Amino acid sequence: MNIRGFYKFIFLLVSILSAQTTSAQRFERLEAGVYLIRYGEEDLHTPMKYKEPALSEALEKIPPAESPFDPKDIQIRINDRGCIVELPLDKDENIYGFGLQMSSFRQNNLKRRPLVNDHPLKDLGYTHAPQPYYISTKGYCVLINTARYTTFYIGTNRKNAAYDLSQEDQKVKFSTDELYRSLGNDENSDLKIHVDIPGAKGISVLVFSGPDMLSALRRYNLFSGGGAIPAIWGLGVKYRLKADSKQSDVERISEYFRSKDIPCDVIGLEPKWQTRAYSCSFVWNKENFPSPNAMIKSCGEKGFKINLWEHAFTHPASPMYEEMKKLSGDYLVWNGLVPDFADERARKIFADYHYENFLKEGIAAFKLDECDNSNITRGDLNWSFPEMTQFPSGIDGEKMHQLLGTLYQKTILDIYKSNNQRTYIDVRASGAFASPYPAAIYSDTYDSLQYIQMINNSSLSGLLWSPEVRESKTRNEFFRRVQIAILSAQTIFNSWYLKNPPWLQFDKLKNNTDMLLPDAKKNEEVIRKLLNFRMSLVPYLYTQFARYQKDGIPPFKPLILSFPNDSAVVNLYDQFLIGDDVLACPVLGESDERMVYLPEGNWYNFNTNEKLAGGRHYKLSFRIDEIPILIREGCILPLAHPVESISPETVFDITCKIYGTNPKPFVLFEDDGISYDYEKGILNYITVSWKKTKGKIERKGAYKGLRYNVIAWERIL
Ligand code: GAL
């Protein structure tokens, strides 16, 4: 071997040895409290490539905190399988996240596959909003910056190395569940989190420091671009019509709501507004909607916004088809093109068409459907593009599936943002760094407990979940679902397969044959009361979204986020906080009763004003026409007189309900509710406070309008 060959051999040997394993190099500081380790040759298409700019100033305002790890604690190996990342996991450390998980809350001792799917599998991690991301009660978040299908092992497997044999569990097991249960960090102090990223030649790992769980989540949300602040009308009530509805049905339903004094802000149209759907033409079906622009205008005059259903798959009948052809994947879906939204040229074609044909005519929002993936459990429902699809940008089908939800949102939301117009859309898939997108995620699944679980899980992943209401088996079930919906990110009735409002007939078949309930009038009274409460909560809710945008604090919070040291809430996912002081405890099933855990402090039953000491469980009862919430002592709750819909001119008449003897001030956020002018400081903060016997209102800011008018104060002691 000549000298040249020898040196080549040595170089090859060193690069093979170093390629197998490397201790983490060092942290790069991306933003205050946000650290990154990168190793090897990263993919071109990753979540970081498409994310919105970080809110650096807001990140600087969070009390500084060092990284929870030393770089050497993060081991990255690259071999011919791909990339493996090993991260620390302490005994008794609680892990959450992975996006919109629906079958579990605490993620310890689980194998997680956060892959996008339209009917998530039984707790393997498949979800409408997959994120290679988790958050720890130790006060940090980790995000693996990949769009590849990835598997996380949360303390489930031990590597081949010496370990403390005394920790072994010698108990004989008599069930397969016990036999095959994963190892866990609750009992084992030497287990770690392992991440398997097949095919990757390199990876970057982001660490968001705390020092506590809420601060770490705030850093993630602010690094993503801040939380979402929807148009204020989006916090009203949305009603989606049946898929084959016509313009006359829009008139019928809009008239119904207004004549019955039932609040509604948004009417959603489903597929047959288009000449072709499945796949989409994006052209008004003039048979069903002869004068769409006149309809939009007349709905607007009655206080209704119009939201259009669609998906991205572009039918040959679409005016976009020819231009989009060269910017699409090499497989079709429902014979439609799959636009390469990883390419800004495709996003521009799609956006320009939507602006010219819909936004300019007053369409306020869209429902972005089928941007997830075919049902992983069924071979006969394989409607979407395969993972081996190739796109002109170089992205493959696997990575496009993981990114399509966020790229599709970005495509649509950038149109509204560039026109200084806020919106609030529906989307069926989302993912990493989606915090700034004013989009509520929905699903065809319909389990009430999972719906509440997803309110908690979405919060820990910077997402918004919409527990939509459709048909129901019983009256109780229906109104319990409405109670969840009025306490969540979006109150929506998705009647895409129902001819009449579901409170007039809960059963799908009878509803569609106009066999309405004899006591429908009674139901209208209940629905009016529940939806009026939603409208009265809008000022409080809107202020929580303003905090989400400015400070990264999620509007809805699992109790673990506010009480991370309370062992009673480690796996509590059927209650949640709205803001800091409203505790939601939805009732499920046919009974009015449920066990409620009250964390430390004193809490008031909103319906009875009964004061209860926290730190323990109670059996409480809530009727179907009551609101299943408790209010924390010291809260000033600004409740508005309900309005039927929210216009730019709406002024909320507010009664401040004061809970307890020593209330803390509440700061309301006020702006025009429909533009991005708040980014230029065109906003007000209204501080309402109570001293001994007198209420005080201080309005500060540059917004010249008036959104809130405090008319009364009510003491609850
Ligand atoms: C489904 C969607 C439903 C409804 C339906 C219309 O994919 O999840 O909410 O929009 O399409 O075809």
Side-chain angles (χ1 to χ4, degrees):
M1 179 190 300
N2 63 20
I3 189 71
R4 199 177 148 75
F6 175 69
Y7 279 132
K8 216 170 162 185
F9 169 70
I10 293 298
F11 174 76
L12 200 62
L13 186 66
V14 166
S15 60
I16 288 168
L17 284 176
S18 64
Q20 287 302 315
T21 305
T22 174
S23 62
Q25 315 301 309
R26 58 177 180 73
F27 277 137
E28 284 174 53
R29 181 187 180 279
L30 294 185
E31 298 282 348
V34 182
Y35 304 92
L36 175 136
I37 283 183
R38 63 174 93 240
Y39 184 70
E41 187 193 332
E42 280 198 85
D43 288 323
L44 171 63
H45 301 287
T46 66
M48 281 270 278
K49 176 179 170 60
Y50 300 102
K51 71 178 272 301
E52 306 305 324
L55 299 189
S56 305
E57 276 177 40
L59 280 160
E60 294 290 346
K61 288 186 185 135
I62 300 179
E66 289 309 308
S67 159
F69 307 130
D70 185 297
K72 70 172 175 21
D73 297 337
I74 299 179
Q75 294 293 317
I76 301 176
R77 299 196 301 278
I78 297 174
N79 56 32
D80 59 359
R81 169 182 175 74
C83 217
I84 300 106
V85 183
E86 184 178 296
L87 296 119
L89 175 65
D90 285 353
K91 195 169 169 342
D92 303 331
E93 182 177 354
N94 295 305
I95 301 291
Y96 306 85
F98 299 106
L100 187 71
Q101 292 303 320
M102 60 199 306
S103 307
S104 56
F105 179 52
R106 181 173 177 261
Q107 301 292 311
N108 296 61
N109 321 330
L110 295 177
K111 169 181 173 184
R112 315 307 295 142
R113 298 217 73 213
L115 276 58
V116 75
N117 198 255
D118 74 347
H119 269 66
L121 260 189
K122 194 171 158 28
D123 208 16
L124 250 180
Y126 295 87
T127 164
H128 286 286
Q131 285 172 328
Y133 153 96
Y134 57 89
I135 181 170
S136 166
T137 46
K138 241 185 106 180
Y140 66 86
C141 302
V142 166
L143 184 133
I144 308 289
N145 181 40
T146 183
R148 289 177 184 271
Y149 288 172
T150 300
T151 306
F152 290 76
Y153 298 87
I154 315 298
T156 55
N157 293 76
R158 176 172 283 125
K159 281 186 67 195
N160 178 6
Y163 66 95
D164 176 359
L165 277 165
S166 68
Q167 296 190 68
E168 271 199 338
D169 170 3
Q170 295 296 327
K171 208 160 46 66
V172 180
K173 310 246 177 17
F174 301 100
S175 81
T176 47
D177 256 11
E178 273 190 285
L179 270 175
Y180 299 138
R181 185 164 302 289
S182 311
L183 293 173
N185 67 308
D186 297 342
E187 298 84 34
N188 299 282
S189 57
D190 65 329
L191 297 177
K192 297 192 181 309
I193 292 177
H194 297 275
V195 189
D196 179 27
I197 314 145
K201 300 277 174 296
I203 197 73
S204 56
V205 177
L206 287 97
V207 176
F208 301 87
S209 64
D212 53 78
M213 201 177 176
L214 179 56
S215 301
L217 178 56
R218 289 180 57 197
R219 290 188 206 277
Y220 167 74
N221 286 331
L222 292 168
F223 182 76
S224 302
I229 175 167
I232 193 167
W233 50 261
L235 298 180
V237 176
K238 182 185 292 180
Y239 185 89
R240 302 206 75 91
L241 268 63
K242 194 162 176 272
D244 58 359
S245 293
K246 297 179 172 54
Q247 190 164 325
S248 53
D249 295 304
V250 174
E251 277 139 36
R252 169 176 63 90
I253 289 290
S254 58
E255 197 39 47
Y256 169 81
F257 274 97
R258 294 300 180 245
S259 65
K260 298 287 184 181
D261 293 325
I262 298 173
C264 182
D265 266 279
V266 182
I267 285 180
L269 303 185
E270 289 283 309
K272 287 317 281 175
W273 72 266
Q274 300 186 41
T275 53
R276 305 297 293 252
Y278 292 95
S279 47
C280 287
S281 62
F282 309 96
V283 174
W284 281 102
N285 174 342
K286 293 296 180 72
E287 255 177 66
N288 289 351
F289 294 86
S291 52
N293 296 340
M295 175 193 73
I296 297 165
K297 189 168 177 298
S298 75
C299 281
E301 285 156 4
K302 289 185 274 185
F304 293 97
K305 310 277 184 212
I306 301 293
N307 168 309
L308 295 181
W309 173 97
E310 64 169 51
H311 57 219
F313 312 120
T314 306
H315 187 277
S318 169
M320 287 189 278
Y321 185 78
E322 286 311 319
E323 232 190 329
M324 196 62 91
K325 242 169 106 170
K326 53 186 181 303
L327 289 168
S328 297
D330 59 356
Y331 282 84
L332 300 175
V333 176
W334 290 300
N335 300 319
L337 301 170
V338 184
D340 183 356
F341 284 151
D343 184 327
E344 61 180 345
R345 293 171 299 168
R347 295 202 297 269
K348 186 170 181 342
I349 292 167
F350 205 85
D352 290 351
Y353 180 87
H354 278 65
Y355 175 70
E356 282 306 319
N357 293 277
F358 305 118
L359 272 80
K360 262 172 81 174
E361 300 304 341
I363 292 299
F366 291 88
K367 172 174 179 177
L368 312 184
D369 203 0
E370 281 117 5
C371 42
D372 37 34
N373 194 358
S374 316
N375 189 329
I376 193 84
T377 64
R378 298 270 301 265
D380 59 341
L381 299 183
N382 193 53
W383 52 266
S384 192
F385 54 90
E387 275 67 15
M388 71 270 195
T389 304
Q390 280 303 317
F391 291 84
S393 64
I395 193 170
D396 64 21
E398 173 180 325
K399 297 195 202 79
M400 181 57 92
H401 275 304
Q402 295 292 83
L403 295 176
L404 183 56
T406 42
L407 290 173
Y408 194 3
Q409 290 174 74
K410 182 183 179 64
T411 302
I412 294 292
L413 295 170
D414 279 356
I415 319 168
Y416 283 100
K417 177 129 196 188
S418 59
N419 286 282
N420 192 25
Q421 184 184 340
R422 296 211 325 258
T423 182
Y424 196 26
I425 67 174
D426 311 79
V427 68
R428 215 175 73 175
S430 190
F433 303 126
S435 313
Y437 296 148
I441 305 167
Y442 65 92
S443 167
D444 288 338
T445 57
Y446 202 44
D447 176 281
S448 289
L449 178 58
Q450 287 183 347
Y451 270 23
I452 302 169
Q453 198 156 31
M454 288 196 270
I455 292 173
N456 281 301
N457 282 325
S458 54
S459 162
L460 293 173
S461 296
L463 300 166
L464 297 170
W465 162 247
S466 157
E468 66 184 34
V469 183
R470 305 193 292 259
E471 88 288 359
S472 292
K473 292 184 186 57
T474 67
R475 185 168 194 266
N476 268 21
E477 180 204 333
F478 176 78
F479 284 112
R480 294 304 179 194
R481 287 180 177 279
V482 176
Q483 287 176 332
I484 299 170
I486 61 173
L487 296 172
S488 70
Q490 175 172 251
T491 299
I492 175 172
F493 296 92
N494 184 7
S495 299
W496 74 278
Y497 49 71
L498 297 173
K499 180 180 176 193
N500 297 290
W503 52 86
L504 300 179
Q505 177 49 270
F506 314 122
D507 175 84
K508 177 177 173 180
L509 195 62
K510 291 177 184 167
N511 184 300
N512 287 327
T513 48
D514 291 326
M515 291 170 67
L516 303 186
L517 290 163
D519 56 354
K521 210 161 187 51
K522 215 168 64 181
N523 292 342
E524 283 175 337
E525 282 157 23
V526 178
I527 202 73
R528 184 180 302 112
K529 181 179 176 190
L530 294 178
L531 297 186
N532 275 341
F533 175 78
R534 171 64 177 206
M535 299 310 285
S536 66
L537 196 64
V538 166
Y540 178 81
L541 261 181
Y542 189 55
T543 296
Q544 304 313 323
F545 277 97
R547 287 173 78 198
Y548 190 30
Q549 186 279 328
K550 177 172 169 286
D551 303 326
I553 299 170
F556 305 92
K557 292 189 285 221
L559 272 65
I560 188 74
L561 205 51
S562 298
F563 304 92
N565 303 316
D566 184 342
S567 59
V569 302
V570 163
N571 210 20
L572 190 153
Y573 52 77
D574 66 351
Q575 296 175 220
F576 54 92
L577 284 162
I578 308 171
D580 297 329
D581 302 317
V582 176
L583 178 61
C585 36
V587 180
L588 300 180
E590 293 302 304
S591 152
D592 283 358
E593 289 187 337
R594 69 157 283 171
M595 289 309 290
V596 172
Y597 176 72
L598 296 185
E600 67 191 15
N602 292 318
W603 300 82
Y604 292 81
N605 182 321
F606 177 76
N607 306 285
T608 63
N609 289 336
E610 183 190 8
K611 182 175 175 179
L612 300 167
R616 49 163 288 199
H617 288 85
Y618 291 87
K619 180 177 276 190
L620 299 181
S621 172
F622 299 98
R623 295 195 318 266
I624 55 169
D625 66 340
E626 291 185 314
I627 314 299
I629 58 175
L630 292 103
I631 314 299
R632 194 201 306 245
E633 181 178 41
C635 165
I636 296 180
L637 182 65
L639 284 185
H641 181 76
V643 294
E644 65 179 19
S645 66
I646 305 165
S647 78
E649 295 69 41
T650 298
V651 177
F652 289 97
D653 288 336
I654 288 185
T655 296
C656 289
K657 296 185 76 155
I658 306 159
Y659 288 86
T661 50
N662 184 20
K664 61 183 192 291
F666 184 85
V667 183
L668 272 164
F669 174 79
E670 182 181 61
D671 75 337
D672 65 13
I674 53 174
S675 79
Y676 286 89
D677 289 353
Y678 68 82
E679 289 180 343
K680 293 179 278 188
I682 314 293
L683 57 88
N684 293 332
Y685 288 107
I686 303 164
T687 303
V688 292
S689 54
W690 180 264
K691 290 272 178 293
K692 293 197 180 52
T693 58
K694 208 166 156 7
K696 190 177 168 195
I697 303 157
E698 294 163 275
R699 180 178 258 108
K700 283 198 187 111
Y703 173 60
K704 297 285 177 263
L706 180 78
R707 175 72 66 198
Y708 309 120
N709 178 26
V710 177
I711 58 169
W713 303 80
E714 194 183 314
R715 306 284 316 269
I716 295 107
L717 296 171

